[in-house]
Amino acid sequence: EWPKKCGHFEGKKVIPMQEHAGKIRAAVAARGDSGLVIVARTDARQVLGLDAAIERAREYYRAGADVVFVEAMQSEEEMRLVSQALPGVPLLCNYIEGGKTPAKSAKALLDIGKNYSFLMFSTAAMLAATKALQDLYAHLLEHGSTQGYSSNLESFAEFKRLVNLDEYNAVDAGDDEMAKTLHLP
């Protein structure tokens, strides 16, 4: 289904389990010896229930996924049940501020299940950026400039450092060694 819906949204659909497992097997075959880590996600929790989501996660691991991800677990108990049902299987947990999965620190998540190997805060940066943009635009609307707001802004010099601008400028000037360092063609 397009567009893909966030796992914490209602109204999702899932493809048949064996079709998804086939896609995972194809990805495993295609990765060769690249070291690519294959994470198999299932949104079946909301659509088909927790038992079906666990069954799918198990099947996807059997199909060759390195990590499985049961999206939008709705309680600490569900998180524990997923971990217990999939012993030895590396698990990923996704926390979305205001979403369905209860907030946990990495340590608290490990207390729930030792096989939770990955914890994502997948929307935290986007939500922080959204808030920062709203604050900036409100200030601009009220004051007509960024005066009085500069302490909330990164310096332009630091921004240029963060994006490696000097290195890219060296490439533009013909520095082939710098291009190799940056893995550019």
Side-chain angles (χ1 to χ4, degrees):
E1 178 177 327
W2 187 256
K4 173 74 177 90
K5 291 184 179 176
C6 168
H8 291 255
F9 290 174
E10 302 300 322
K12 294 177 298 299
K13 296 179 182 175
V14 294
I15 64 174
M17 180 172 64
Q18 288 307 318
E19 180 181 344
H20 191 169
K23 292 176 184 223
I24 294 164
R25 284 190 289 278
V28 169
R31 79 171 156 195
D33 61 358
S34 69
L36 177 72
V37 174
I38 297 174
V39 178
R41 167 183 165 159
T42 179
D43 287 338
R45 163 60 190 92
Q46 187 256 337
V47 179
L48 304 172
L50 186 63
D51 290 340
I54 290 170
E55 177 186 5
R56 284 169 175 255
R58 186 178 293 115
E59 182 63 25
Y60 302 158
Y61 188 68
R62 284 188 200 124
D66 301 297
V67 178
V68 295
F69 170 21
V70 176
E71 175 65 302
M73 294 173 285
Q74 297 182 13
S75 68
E76 186 173 314
E77 181 60 20
E78 286 190 5
M79 296 161 78
R80 184 173 287 104
L81 289 169
V82 167
S83 174
Q84 291 170 348
L86 301 165
V89 175
L91 301 174
L92 181 148
C93 182
N94 181 33
Y95 175 66
I96 293 179
E97 291 74 8
K100 296 179 182 301
T101 303
K104 296 293 169 195
S105 67
K107 182 186 178 320
L109 187 59
L110 285 173
D111 289 342
I112 292 170
K114 297 293 183 208
N115 52 338
Y116 280 105
S117 305
F118 303 92
L119 173 58
M120 289 192 319
F121 293 88
S122 56
T123 60
M126 177 185 65
L127 295 175
T130 300
K131 175 71 170 119
L133 288 168
Q134 288 175 323
D135 291 349
L136 169 64
Y137 292 138
H139 183 90
L140 285 169
L141 185 62
E142 182 177 344
H143 301 282
S145 79
T146 58
Q147 286 183 323
Y149 195 81
S150 60
S151 65
N152 295 313
L153 301 174
E154 186 60 80
S155 73
F156 192 53
E158 178 60 8
F159 173 78
K160 291 188 296 184
R161 186 194 69 74
L162 286 169
V163 299
N164 297 319
L165 188 60
D166 288 342
E167 289 86 348
Y168 285 100
N169 284 338
V171 171
D172 279 348
D175 186 338
D176 292 337
E177 288 305 310
M178 184 58 71
K180 290 177 188 172
T181 301
L182 294 172
H183 307 288
L184 299 174

